[in-house]
Amino acid sequence: MKKLLIVLGVLVIASIAFVYEGMNAKEQSKETAVNMPATTLPASKLTELQKDYPSKNDQHKKLGFDCVTCHGDFKDPKEVLPLQKEQCLTCHGDYKKVAKRTSFLDKKEVNPHDGFHHKDQLDCADCHREHKPSVNYCANCHDTKVWMKSTP
Amino acid sequence: MDRRTFLKAGAVTATATALSVSSLAPFVEAEENTDVEFDEVFDIIVVGSGLAGTTSAITAAEQGNKVLVVDKMNILGGTSLISGLNFSCVGSDEQKARGIKDSPELMAQDMRKVSEDYGDPELALTVATMTTRFYHFLKDRGVVFKEFKQLGGHSVARAVWAGGGAFVIRPLHDYAKKSLADRLTMRKRCRVDNIVFDNGRAVGIQVRENYYFNFDAPEKDDEQNQTGKIKYVGARKGIVFASGGYCRDKKLLGAEADILEETNSDANPGARSGTLQMLLSHGAQAVNLSLFRLAYPIPTEDLMWGMLVNPEGKRFVNEFGNRNTIGMTILKEKQKFDGKAPLLIYDQTGADNFHDKQRFQLSMDAKNGYQGTMYKFQSIKEVAKHFGYDPLVLQKAVADYNAALDSGVDKEFSKDFSQMNGAALKKAPFYAMPLTPKCTYTPGGVRINKAAQMLNSTTGEIFTGLFAAGEATGGVHGAMRLTACSVPDCGAFGLISGDNVSAMIPVELQVKKK
Ligand SMILES: Cc1cc2nc3c(=O)[nH]c(=O)nc-3n(C[C@H](O)[C@H](O)[C@H](O)COP(=O)(O)OP(=O)(O)OC[C@H]3O[C@@H](n4cnc5c(N)ncnc54)[C@H](O)[C@@H]3O)c2cc1C
């Protein structure tokens, strides 16, 4: 059992590279090297957890993400917290880059990634949810349907 | 309960909570309890990262104290960050440049005029007296005022504006990060659940770190949110509650006045009453909780250029009235029609008459808050179609209104038609929006004295080590609150609480051994 765990650990430590496409067609696709975090969780447990907490993000699913890809290693799933922006940005570049992808909303000062009120304070997961339908955080206070479509 | 027993009771409660981590711990008598152990200890803890809390924390840190600011939300800044933060100020450079004569007494008098004699006049005067110092506090720490305004209810022009809350809060937070990094820590997603008392003195707080506010069911957040990890943080000198108002708490608003459940609010989604209830459980005094301040996406003063009709196409109020009277009438009308808001319609002349064109434009751009969007139409028929009215009904309402305007007398609601400056419903295009009053401010809260010390409801005496500032407090404004007067309130009691908590004699507190 112990040996198996170690092997598994080595396997997931190996870096993977993947490609993702932005919303702005003009943007060049870039390869991002991501270090997969090590885990002591057995593969069977990870599969089980993925059933309990399925992803709603097709792109992430295609890339074969499991729990630890995003959340890092953990022992008890109850300890797992929603992601902070820094964690998402390890793959998605920086806030400025994300803001550029939605820069068509700049004109009316309603680009959520460079918000009039919040600038770069919001966590990605405040809108984009992995395990639940995404929401529009701005809609807590605004009639956002006039500005933009539903959140991916 | 006399003071001694209250203090004892307070200490017992705190001891019990502080020890609840190891629930097997024996019950400790209050007087003997001097060994509460904390995960961390600071000189001063400030609850809330809005304007009042930020001001208090910076003031205390500049006096050399180690300060912790906690906020339960996902971001820092509270309602202040998303507010207009227009600031009524006596003695600004802008006033001086224009030779405007003003005084704290005059400002306090203006504030009291709309107070309906609720609240404490002494607190209002304290606010007005502190405005000059607060103005320089802000300017010296990077806030730039872009506009100077004469606002409704003020006998002289005295409002300065930095461009919105972000242009006040962001510079202050940046300044704290840059210049006070060694002394001032700001922590988001950290909710204060309780106060730790030791021999009657507030010496710390029980918090939950990694608190995730429940945006999916905000109305249940206070009662049901179980997220976060409990920690105890000590405060050698004291704790300032700058925890904001409860505009979004329909349960409390509705309990105070049934119709307030019909209001909208675009205050901080976390503007709820959980913190207030916790303070009351320790004996803090609640004052003026029934009071409220209604506002509209567009200025109250500019409602008069239009016509308000209910879903049956009938007028029901004089559009040229005070904010709360119009608001209450609309809320009652909404109750009659299952929550459906009345419709406000302008013609082009009415739109041209707006005294605040910036807010009109914001509404046209759909950037004026929840249900704050105004739409443009070429005909009344189009208006009817868009908002689900029978065109004939709406056209008749418009014709009746125009006829009344032509006659010069409003027989139904006594609107002063002589002030209309040509506004009617005649000149296309037309502009319309459903109108629901927003609750943007709660004048009630915990009672404080001039020194920002929190008062005990039973004894009338102060709590040693507990201060409060900003919208969390009650009794400063009374009914309605004058326009642009929350900022000077947050400033005044932010500065005062910062000074006075700094002046406290520190107590020795123990940090838990790891
Ligand atoms: C749309 C709008 C426009 C406005 N325009 C103006 C204006 O032009 N001029 C004016 O004077 N006033 C205006 N106001 C009112 C004014 O903005 C507020 O009254 C003021 O910002 C309140 O500041 P504060 O620091 O007291 O509270 P807030 O800024 O609300 O900060 C309180 C903070 O405490 C936190 N908190 C509460 N409980 C806890 C807890 N238990 N643990 C940890 N954190 C906690 C909250 O999350 C919040 O972030 C406006 C309000 C609104 C909604």
Side-chain angles (χ1 to χ4, degrees), chain A residues 82 108 116-119 121 123 126 129 132 140-143 147, chain B residues 74-76 170 189 212 216 248 366-367 369-373:
Chain A
K108 291 214 150 182
F116 175 78
H117 305 293
H118 309 112
K119 284 281 168 213
Q121 261 210 79
D123 282 323
D126 288 335
R129 306 258 182 95
K132 278 193 269 180
N140 280 309
C141 302
H142 287 284
D143 297 338
W147 313 339
Chain B
N74 56 325
I75 54 164
L76 297 171
R170 224 178 281 138
R189 289 206 170 103
Y212 278 78
D216 295 333
R248 294 261 194 174
K367 294 199 309 208
Y370 180 65
Q371 291 184 355
T373 308

PDB file of all heavy atoms in Angstrom, chain A residues 82 108 116-119 121 123 126 129 132 140-143 147, chain B residues 74-76 170 189 212 216 248 366-367 369-373:
ATOM      1  N   PRO A  82     -13.018  27.142  -0.877  1.00  0.00           N
ATOM      2  CA  PRO A  82     -13.104  27.684  -2.236  1.00  0.00           C
ATOM      3  C   PRO A  82     -11.776  28.352  -2.601  1.00  0.00           C
ATOM      4  O   PRO A  82     -11.057  28.818  -1.725  1.00  0.00           O
ATOM      5  CB  PRO A  82     -14.213  28.743  -2.121  1.00  0.00           C
ATOM      6  CG  PRO A  82     -14.991  28.389  -0.904  1.00  0.00           C
ATOM      7  CD  PRO A  82     -14.022  27.726   0.019  1.00  0.00           C
ATOM      8  N   LYS A 108     -17.787  51.193 -21.070  1.00  0.00           N
ATOM      9  CA  LYS A 108     -18.836  51.607 -20.137  1.00  0.00           C
ATOM     10  C   LYS A 108     -18.396  51.453 -18.685  1.00  0.00           C
ATOM     11  O   LYS A 108     -19.207  51.525 -17.776  1.00  0.00           O
ATOM     12  CB  LYS A 108     -20.108  50.800 -20.404  1.00  0.00           C
ATOM     13  CG  LYS A 108     -20.753  51.160 -21.724  1.00  0.00           C
ATOM     14  CD  LYS A 108     -22.262  51.059 -21.653  1.00  0.00           C
ATOM     15  CE  LYS A 108     -22.915  52.042 -22.610  1.00  0.00           C
ATOM     16  NZ  LYS A 108     -24.368  52.010 -22.547  1.00  0.00           N
ATOM     17  N   PHE A 116     -14.986  49.165 -11.470  1.00  0.00           N
ATOM     18  CA  PHE A 116     -14.993  50.519 -10.939  1.00  0.00           C
ATOM     19  C   PHE A 116     -14.823  50.493  -9.415  1.00  0.00           C
ATOM     20  O   PHE A 116     -14.060  51.261  -8.855  1.00  0.00           O
ATOM     21  CB  PHE A 116     -16.313  51.192 -11.325  1.00  0.00           C
ATOM     22  CG  PHE A 116     -16.492  52.561 -10.736  1.00  0.00           C
ATOM     23  CD1 PHE A 116     -15.833  53.654 -11.290  1.00  0.00           C
ATOM     24  CD2 PHE A 116     -17.303  52.756  -9.634  1.00  0.00           C
ATOM     25  CE1 PHE A 116     -15.989  54.922 -10.745  1.00  0.00           C
ATOM     26  CE2 PHE A 116     -17.464  54.025  -9.083  1.00  0.00           C
ATOM     27  CZ  PHE A 116     -16.801  55.113  -9.644  1.00  0.00           C
ATOM     28  N   HIS A 117     -15.548  49.590  -8.745  1.00  0.00           N
ATOM     29  CA  HIS A 117     -15.475  49.549  -7.286  1.00  0.00           C
ATOM     30  C   HIS A 117     -14.330  48.668  -6.792  1.00  0.00           C
ATOM     31  O   HIS A 117     -13.606  49.028  -5.893  1.00  0.00           O
ATOM     32  CB  HIS A 117     -16.763  48.975  -6.685  1.00  0.00           C
ATOM     33  CG  HIS A 117     -18.010  49.677  -7.112  1.00  0.00           C
ATOM     34  ND1 HIS A 117     -18.291  50.963  -6.748  1.00  0.00           N
ATOM     35  CD2 HIS A 117     -19.058  49.260  -7.855  1.00  0.00           C
ATOM     36  CE1 HIS A 117     -19.465  51.310  -7.249  1.00  0.00           C
ATOM     37  NE2 HIS A 117     -19.950  50.299  -7.934  1.00  0.00           N
ATOM     38  N   HIS A 118     -14.210  47.482  -7.384  1.00  0.00           N
ATOM     39  CA  HIS A 118     -13.379  46.456  -6.751  1.00  0.00           C
ATOM     40  C   HIS A 118     -12.011  46.253  -7.369  1.00  0.00           C
ATOM     41  O   HIS A 118     -11.204  45.526  -6.817  1.00  0.00           O
ATOM     42  CB  HIS A 118     -14.110  45.110  -6.757  1.00  0.00           C
ATOM     43  CG  HIS A 118     -15.489  45.195  -6.210  1.00  0.00           C
ATOM     44  ND1 HIS A 118     -16.610  45.020  -6.982  1.00  0.00           N
ATOM     45  CD2 HIS A 118     -15.932  45.482  -4.976  1.00  0.00           C
ATOM     46  CE1 HIS A 118     -17.687  45.185  -6.238  1.00  0.00           C
ATOM     47  NE2 HIS A 118     -17.305  45.469  -5.027  1.00  0.00           N
ATOM     48  N   LYS A 119     -11.773  46.868  -8.543  1.00  0.00           N
ATOM     49  CA  LYS A 119     -10.499  46.658  -9.239  1.00  0.00           C
ATOM     50  C   LYS A 119     -10.169  45.164  -9.307  1.00  0.00           C
ATOM     51  O   LYS A 119     -10.904  44.420  -9.918  1.00  0.00           O
ATOM     52  CB  LYS A 119      -9.377  47.433  -8.546  1.00  0.00           C
ATOM     53  CG  LYS A 119      -9.435  48.922  -8.838  1.00  0.00           C
ATOM     54  CD  LYS A 119      -8.854  49.219 -10.219  1.00  0.00           C
ATOM     55  CE  LYS A 119      -9.185  50.658 -10.614  1.00  0.00           C
ATOM     56  NZ  LYS A 119      -9.397  50.847 -12.007  1.00  0.00           N
ATOM     57  N   GLN A 121      -9.837  43.143  -6.587  1.00  0.00           N
ATOM     58  CA  GLN A 121     -10.020  42.568  -5.244  1.00  0.00           C
ATOM     59  C   GLN A 121     -10.807  41.254  -5.234  1.00  0.00           C
ATOM     60  O   GLN A 121     -10.647  40.438  -4.346  1.00  0.00           O
ATOM     61  CB  GLN A 121     -10.798  43.558  -4.363  1.00  0.00           C
ATOM     62  CG  GLN A 121      -9.958  44.399  -3.424  1.00  0.00           C
ATOM     63  CD  GLN A 121     -10.748  44.757  -2.161  1.00  0.00           C
ATOM     64  OE1 GLN A 121     -10.887  43.959  -1.252  1.00  0.00           O
ATOM     65  NE2 GLN A 121     -11.267  45.955  -2.122  1.00  0.00           N
ATOM     66  N   ASP A 123     -12.264  37.579  -5.796  1.00  0.00           N
ATOM     67  CA  ASP A 123     -11.775  36.252  -6.144  1.00  0.00           C
ATOM     68  C   ASP A 123     -12.540  35.766  -7.368  1.00  0.00           C
ATOM     69  O   ASP A 123     -13.741  36.048  -7.509  1.00  0.00           O
ATOM     70  CB  ASP A 123     -11.996  35.278  -4.984  1.00  0.00           C
ATOM     71  CG  ASP A 123     -10.968  35.467  -3.888  1.00  0.00           C
ATOM     72  OD1 ASP A 123      -9.803  35.738  -4.221  1.00  0.00           O
ATOM     73  OD2 ASP A 123     -11.328  35.348  -2.703  1.00  0.00           O
ATOM     74  N   ASP A 126     -15.823  34.222  -6.824  1.00  0.00           N
ATOM     75  CA  ASP A 126     -16.985  35.018  -6.438  1.00  0.00           C
ATOM     76  C   ASP A 126     -18.031  34.988  -7.554  1.00  0.00           C
ATOM     77  O   ASP A 126     -19.218  35.202  -7.302  1.00  0.00           O
ATOM     78  CB  ASP A 126     -16.578  36.464  -6.121  1.00  0.00           C
ATOM     79  CG  ASP A 126     -15.808  36.562  -4.802  1.00  0.00           C
ATOM     80  OD1 ASP A 126     -15.994  35.677  -3.947  1.00  0.00           O
ATOM     81  OD2 ASP A 126     -15.019  37.505  -4.631  1.00  0.00           O
ATOM     82  N   ARG A 129     -17.978  29.606 -10.741  1.00  0.00           N
ATOM     83  CA  ARG A 129     -18.015  28.505  -9.788  1.00  0.00           C
ATOM     84  C   ARG A 129     -17.653  27.210 -10.512  1.00  0.00           C
ATOM     85  O   ARG A 129     -18.050  26.999 -11.650  1.00  0.00           O
ATOM     86  CB  ARG A 129     -19.435  28.382  -9.209  1.00  0.00           C
ATOM     87  CG  ARG A 129     -19.953  29.684  -8.606  1.00  0.00           C
ATOM     88  CD  ARG A 129     -19.839  29.634  -7.127  1.00  0.00           C
ATOM     89  NE  ARG A 129     -20.351  30.828  -6.495  1.00  0.00           N
ATOM     90  CZ  ARG A 129     -21.598  30.944  -6.019  1.00  0.00           C
ATOM     91  NH1 ARG A 129     -22.476  29.963  -6.156  1.00  0.00           N
ATOM     92  NH2 ARG A 129     -21.957  32.047  -5.406  1.00  0.00           N
ATOM     93  N   LYS A 132     -20.847  24.641  -8.822  1.00  0.00           N
ATOM     94  CA  LYS A 132     -22.231  25.133  -8.824  1.00  0.00           C
ATOM     95  C   LYS A 132     -22.377  26.027 -10.044  1.00  0.00           C
ATOM     96  O   LYS A 132     -21.377  26.444 -10.623  1.00  0.00           O
ATOM     97  CB  LYS A 132     -22.482  25.977  -7.567  1.00  0.00           C
ATOM     98  CG  LYS A 132     -22.792  25.158  -6.322  1.00  0.00           C
ATOM     99  CD  LYS A 132     -23.344  26.068  -5.216  1.00  0.00           C
ATOM    100  CE  LYS A 132     -22.258  26.605  -4.318  1.00  0.00           C
ATOM    101  NZ  LYS A 132     -22.732  27.483  -3.256  1.00  0.00           N
ATOM    102  N   ASN A 140     -25.413  41.614  -7.367  1.00  0.00           N
ATOM    103  CA  ASN A 140     -25.804  41.885  -5.982  1.00  0.00           C
ATOM    104  C   ASN A 140     -26.342  43.308  -5.845  1.00  0.00           C
ATOM    105  O   ASN A 140     -27.089  43.599  -4.920  1.00  0.00           O
ATOM    106  CB  ASN A 140     -24.606  41.721  -5.042  1.00  0.00           C
ATOM    107  CG  ASN A 140     -24.334  40.268  -4.721  1.00  0.00           C
ATOM    108  OD1 ASN A 140     -25.232  39.534  -4.325  1.00  0.00           O
ATOM    109  ND2 ASN A 140     -23.092  39.841  -4.907  1.00  0.00           N
ATOM    110  N   CYS A 141     -25.909  44.189  -6.725  1.00  0.00           N
ATOM    111  CA  CYS A 141     -26.302  45.597  -6.626  1.00  0.00           C
ATOM    112  C   CYS A 141     -26.754  46.221  -7.940  1.00  0.00           C
ATOM    113  O   CYS A 141     -27.227  47.349  -7.938  1.00  0.00           O
ATOM    114  CB  CYS A 141     -25.147  46.441  -6.093  1.00  0.00           C
ATOM    115  SG  CYS A 141     -24.522  45.926  -4.489  1.00  0.00           S
ATOM    116  N   HIS A 142     -26.560  45.543  -9.076  1.00  0.00           N
ATOM    117  CA  HIS A 142     -26.817  46.202 -10.367  1.00  0.00           C
ATOM    118  C   HIS A 142     -27.711  45.382 -11.296  1.00  0.00           C
ATOM    119  O   HIS A 142     -27.779  44.164 -11.179  1.00  0.00           O
ATOM    120  CB  HIS A 142     -25.492  46.454 -11.105  1.00  0.00           C
ATOM    121  CG  HIS A 142     -24.659  47.555 -10.510  1.00  0.00           C
ATOM    122  ND1 HIS A 142     -24.969  48.880 -10.687  1.00  0.00           N
ATOM    123  CD2 HIS A 142     -23.545  47.525  -9.751  1.00  0.00           C
ATOM    124  CE1 HIS A 142     -24.063  49.627 -10.052  1.00  0.00           C
ATOM    125  NE2 HIS A 142     -23.192  48.820  -9.466  1.00  0.00           N
ATOM    126  N   ASP A 143     -28.334  46.099 -12.260  1.00  0.00           N
ATOM    127  CA  ASP A 143     -29.093  45.438 -13.328  1.00  0.00           C
ATOM    128  C   ASP A 143     -28.104  45.000 -14.400  1.00  0.00           C
ATOM    129  O   ASP A 143     -27.959  45.650 -15.435  1.00  0.00           O
ATOM    130  CB  ASP A 143     -30.098  46.420 -13.955  1.00  0.00           C
ATOM    131  CG  ASP A 143     -31.144  46.890 -12.962  1.00  0.00           C
ATOM    132  OD1 ASP A 143     -31.367  46.199 -11.957  1.00  0.00           O
ATOM    133  OD2 ASP A 143     -31.743  47.953 -13.199  1.00  0.00           O
ATOM    134  N   TRP A 147     -25.680  44.844 -19.325  1.00  0.00           N
ATOM    135  CA  TRP A 147     -24.265  44.941 -19.689  1.00  0.00           C
ATOM    136  C   TRP A 147     -23.728  43.683 -20.328  1.00  0.00           C
ATOM    137  O   TRP A 147     -22.906  43.731 -21.217  1.00  0.00           O
ATOM    138  CB  TRP A 147     -23.362  45.168 -18.467  1.00  0.00           C
ATOM    139  CG  TRP A 147     -23.748  46.197 -17.492  1.00  0.00           C
ATOM    140  CD1 TRP A 147     -24.579  47.257 -17.694  1.00  0.00           C
ATOM    141  CD2 TRP A 147     -23.289  46.284 -16.137  1.00  0.00           C
ATOM    142  NE1 TRP A 147     -24.659  47.993 -16.534  1.00  0.00           N
ATOM    143  CE2 TRP A 147     -23.883  47.422 -15.579  1.00  0.00           C
ATOM    144  CE3 TRP A 147     -22.424  45.501 -15.372  1.00  0.00           C
ATOM    145  CZ2 TRP A 147     -23.644  47.790 -14.261  1.00  0.00           C
ATOM    146  CZ3 TRP A 147     -22.187  45.879 -14.076  1.00  0.00           C
ATOM    147  CH2 TRP A 147     -22.794  47.028 -13.525  1.00  0.00           C
TER     148      TRP A 147
ATOM    149  N   ASN B  74     -15.822  39.037   1.579  1.00  0.00           N
ATOM    150  CA  ASN B  74     -14.834  38.552   0.627  1.00  0.00           C
ATOM    151  C   ASN B  74     -13.896  39.659   0.166  1.00  0.00           C
ATOM    152  O   ASN B  74     -12.863  39.386  -0.430  1.00  0.00           O
ATOM    153  CB  ASN B  74     -15.543  37.945  -0.592  1.00  0.00           C
ATOM    154  CG  ASN B  74     -16.495  38.928  -1.246  1.00  0.00           C
ATOM    155  OD1 ASN B  74     -17.138  39.741  -0.571  1.00  0.00           O
ATOM    156  ND2 ASN B  74     -16.603  38.875  -2.553  1.00  0.00           N
ATOM    157  N   ILE B  75     -14.302  40.902   0.379  1.00  0.00           N
ATOM    158  CA  ILE B  75     -13.453  42.032   0.004  1.00  0.00           C
ATOM    159  C   ILE B  75     -13.450  43.029   1.154  1.00  0.00           C
ATOM    160  O   ILE B  75     -14.323  42.991   2.021  1.00  0.00           O
ATOM    161  CB  ILE B  75     -13.957  42.759  -1.259  1.00  0.00           C
ATOM    162  CG1 ILE B  75     -15.425  43.154  -1.070  1.00  0.00           C
ATOM    163  CG2 ILE B  75     -13.792  41.931  -2.502  1.00  0.00           C
ATOM    164  CD1 ILE B  75     -15.893  44.178  -2.045  1.00  0.00           C
ATOM    165  N   LEU B  76     -12.479  43.923   1.133  1.00  0.00           N
ATOM    166  CA  LEU B  76     -12.428  44.966   2.153  1.00  0.00           C
ATOM    167  C   LEU B  76     -13.183  46.207   1.650  1.00  0.00           C
ATOM    168  O   LEU B  76     -13.297  46.427   0.458  1.00  0.00           O
ATOM    169  CB  LEU B  76     -10.969  45.340   2.441  1.00  0.00           C
ATOM    170  CG  LEU B  76     -10.087  44.227   3.019  1.00  0.00           C
ATOM    171  CD1 LEU B  76      -8.626  44.675   3.054  1.00  0.00           C
ATOM    172  CD2 LEU B  76     -10.553  43.829   4.415  1.00  0.00           C
ATOM    173  N   ARG B 170      -9.786  53.264  -1.392  1.00  0.00           N
ATOM    174  CA  ARG B 170      -8.572  52.698  -1.993  1.00  0.00           C
ATOM    175  C   ARG B 170      -7.312  53.476  -1.592  1.00  0.00           C
ATOM    176  O   ARG B 170      -6.335  52.856  -1.146  1.00  0.00           O
ATOM    177  CB  ARG B 170      -8.727  52.589  -3.511  1.00  0.00           C
ATOM    178  CG  ARG B 170      -8.222  51.258  -4.030  1.00  0.00           C
ATOM    179  CD  ARG B 170      -8.414  51.127  -5.520  1.00  0.00           C
ATOM    180  NE  ARG B 170      -9.778  50.780  -5.882  1.00  0.00           N
ATOM    181  CZ  ARG B 170     -10.439  51.325  -6.912  1.00  0.00           C
ATOM    182  NH1 ARG B 170      -9.896  52.255  -7.653  1.00  0.00           N
ATOM    183  NH2 ARG B 170     -11.655  50.927  -7.185  1.00  0.00           N
ATOM    184  N   ARG B 189     -12.543  38.137   5.207  1.00  0.00           N
ATOM    185  CA  ARG B 189     -13.117  36.814   5.529  1.00  0.00           C
ATOM    186  C   ARG B 189     -12.812  36.409   6.973  1.00  0.00           C
ATOM    187  O   ARG B 189     -12.435  35.266   7.256  1.00  0.00           O
ATOM    188  CB  ARG B 189     -12.587  35.752   4.560  1.00  0.00           C
ATOM    189  CG  ARG B 189     -13.148  35.902   3.168  1.00  0.00           C
ATOM    190  CD  ARG B 189     -13.162  34.592   2.405  1.00  0.00           C
ATOM    191  NE  ARG B 189     -13.925  34.748   1.182  1.00  0.00           N
ATOM    192  CZ  ARG B 189     -13.395  34.892  -0.028  1.00  0.00           C
ATOM    193  NH1 ARG B 189     -12.090  34.886  -0.184  1.00  0.00           N
ATOM    194  NH2 ARG B 189     -14.168  35.037  -1.060  1.00  0.00           N
ATOM    195  N   TYR B 212     -16.734  32.373   4.774  1.00  0.00           N
ATOM    196  CA  TYR B 212     -17.253  32.608   3.429  1.00  0.00           C
ATOM    197  C   TYR B 212     -18.702  33.054   3.523  1.00  0.00           C
ATOM    198  O   TYR B 212     -19.586  32.250   3.807  1.00  0.00           O
ATOM    199  CB  TYR B 212     -17.110  31.356   2.553  1.00  0.00           C
ATOM    200  CG  TYR B 212     -15.720  31.235   1.981  1.00  0.00           C
ATOM    201  CD1 TYR B 212     -14.657  30.773   2.758  1.00  0.00           C
ATOM    202  CD2 TYR B 212     -15.456  31.650   0.674  1.00  0.00           C
ATOM    203  CE1 TYR B 212     -13.378  30.710   2.241  1.00  0.00           C
ATOM    204  CE2 TYR B 212     -14.171  31.583   0.161  1.00  0.00           C
ATOM    205  CZ  TYR B 212     -13.141  31.117   0.941  1.00  0.00           C
ATOM    206  OH  TYR B 212     -11.871  31.065   0.423  1.00  0.00           O
ATOM    207  N   ASP B 216     -25.471  33.129  -1.656  1.00  0.00           N
ATOM    208  CA  ASP B 216     -26.625  32.452  -2.240  1.00  0.00           C
ATOM    209  C   ASP B 216     -27.872  32.639  -1.379  1.00  0.00           C
ATOM    210  O   ASP B 216     -28.987  32.632  -1.894  1.00  0.00           O
ATOM    211  CB  ASP B 216     -26.332  30.959  -2.428  1.00  0.00           C
ATOM    212  CG  ASP B 216     -25.215  30.734  -3.444  1.00  0.00           C
ATOM    213  OD1 ASP B 216     -25.052  31.614  -4.325  1.00  0.00           O
ATOM    214  OD2 ASP B 216     -24.506  29.722  -3.340  1.00  0.00           O
ATOM    215  N   ARG B 248     -29.627  45.774   4.592  1.00  0.00           N
ATOM    216  CA  ARG B 248     -30.060  44.592   3.836  1.00  0.00           C
ATOM    217  C   ARG B 248     -30.837  43.612   4.715  1.00  0.00           C
ATOM    218  O   ARG B 248     -31.192  42.528   4.260  1.00  0.00           O
ATOM    219  CB  ARG B 248     -28.832  43.861   3.291  1.00  0.00           C
ATOM    220  CG  ARG B 248     -28.055  44.631   2.253  1.00  0.00           C
ATOM    221  CD  ARG B 248     -28.429  44.162   0.860  1.00  0.00           C
ATOM    222  NE  ARG B 248     -27.475  44.656  -0.115  1.00  0.00           N
ATOM    223  CZ  ARG B 248     -27.498  44.295  -1.393  1.00  0.00           C
ATOM    224  NH1 ARG B 248     -28.390  43.441  -1.836  1.00  0.00           N
ATOM    225  NH2 ARG B 248     -26.624  44.793  -2.230  1.00  0.00           N
ATOM    226  N   ALA B 366     -27.641  52.064 -17.128  1.00  0.00           N
ATOM    227  CA  ALA B 366     -27.891  50.870 -16.306  1.00  0.00           C
ATOM    228  C   ALA B 366     -26.823  50.664 -15.250  1.00  0.00           C
ATOM    229  O   ALA B 366     -26.516  49.548 -14.869  1.00  0.00           O
ATOM    230  CB  ALA B 366     -28.005  49.620 -17.187  1.00  0.00           C
ATOM    231  N   LYS B 367     -26.233  51.758 -14.785  1.00  0.00           N
ATOM    232  CA  LYS B 367     -25.187  51.608 -13.776  1.00  0.00           C
ATOM    233  C   LYS B 367     -25.604  52.190 -12.432  1.00  0.00           C
ATOM    234  O   LYS B 367     -24.784  52.463 -11.574  1.00  0.00           O
ATOM    235  CB  LYS B 367     -23.902  52.294 -14.264  1.00  0.00           C
ATOM    236  CG  LYS B 367     -23.336  51.576 -15.470  1.00  0.00           C
ATOM    237  CD  LYS B 367     -21.891  51.872 -15.760  1.00  0.00           C
ATOM    238  CE  LYS B 367     -21.556  53.324 -15.828  1.00  0.00           C
ATOM    239  NZ  LYS B 367     -20.401  53.570 -16.706  1.00  0.00           N
ATOM    240  N   GLY B 369     -27.348  51.005  -9.862  1.00  0.00           N
ATOM    241  CA  GLY B 369     -27.818  50.104  -8.815  1.00  0.00           C
ATOM    242  C   GLY B 369     -28.973  49.220  -9.243  1.00  0.00           C
ATOM    243  O   GLY B 369     -29.503  49.323 -10.356  1.00  0.00           O
ATOM    244  N   TYR B 370     -29.338  48.349  -8.338  1.00  0.00           N
ATOM    245  CA  TYR B 370     -30.384  47.364  -8.560  1.00  0.00           C
ATOM    246  C   TYR B 370     -31.718  48.058  -8.862  1.00  0.00           C
ATOM    247  O   TYR B 370     -32.142  48.933  -8.115  1.00  0.00           O
ATOM    248  CB  TYR B 370     -30.493  46.505  -7.299  1.00  0.00           C
ATOM    249  CG  TYR B 370     -31.534  45.429  -7.357  1.00  0.00           C
ATOM    250  CD1 TYR B 370     -31.410  44.386  -8.265  1.00  0.00           C
ATOM    251  CD2 TYR B 370     -32.641  45.466  -6.521  1.00  0.00           C
ATOM    252  CE1 TYR B 370     -32.368  43.394  -8.318  1.00  0.00           C
ATOM    253  CE2 TYR B 370     -33.598  44.476  -6.569  1.00  0.00           C
ATOM    254  CZ  TYR B 370     -33.467  43.448  -7.471  1.00  0.00           C
ATOM    255  OH  TYR B 370     -34.422  42.473  -7.524  1.00  0.00           O
ATOM    256  N   GLN B 371     -32.370  47.695  -9.962  1.00  0.00           N
ATOM    257  CA  GLN B 371     -33.609  48.324 -10.430  1.00  0.00           C
ATOM    258  C   GLN B 371     -33.482  49.832 -10.515  1.00  0.00           C
ATOM    259  O   GLN B 371     -34.404  50.565 -10.190  1.00  0.00           O
ATOM    260  CB  GLN B 371     -34.784  47.934  -9.519  1.00  0.00           C
ATOM    261  CG  GLN B 371     -35.121  46.465  -9.676  1.00  0.00           C
ATOM    262  CD  GLN B 371     -36.346  46.048  -8.871  1.00  0.00           C
ATOM    263  OE1 GLN B 371     -36.905  46.832  -8.116  1.00  0.00           O
ATOM    264  NE2 GLN B 371     -36.762  44.808  -9.039  1.00  0.00           N
ATOM    265  N   GLY B 372     -32.310  50.266 -10.969  1.00  0.00           N
ATOM    266  CA  GLY B 372     -32.088  51.707 -11.070  1.00  0.00           C
ATOM    267  C   GLY B 372     -31.986  52.171 -12.513  1.00  0.00           C
ATOM    268  O   GLY B 372     -31.515  53.265 -12.787  1.00  0.00           O
ATOM    269  N   THR B 373     -32.424  51.326 -13.450  1.00  0.00           N
ATOM    270  CA  THR B 373     -32.237  51.621 -14.864  1.00  0.00           C
ATOM    271  C   THR B 373     -33.423  52.380 -15.450  1.00  0.00           C
ATOM    272  O   THR B 373     -34.569  52.017 -15.232  1.00  0.00           O
ATOM    273  CB  THR B 373     -32.017  50.309 -15.650  1.00  0.00           C
ATOM    274  OG1 THR B 373     -30.967  49.585 -15.007  1.00  0.00           O
ATOM    275  CG2 THR B 373     -31.642  50.583 -17.089  1.00  0.00           C
TER     276      THR B 373
END
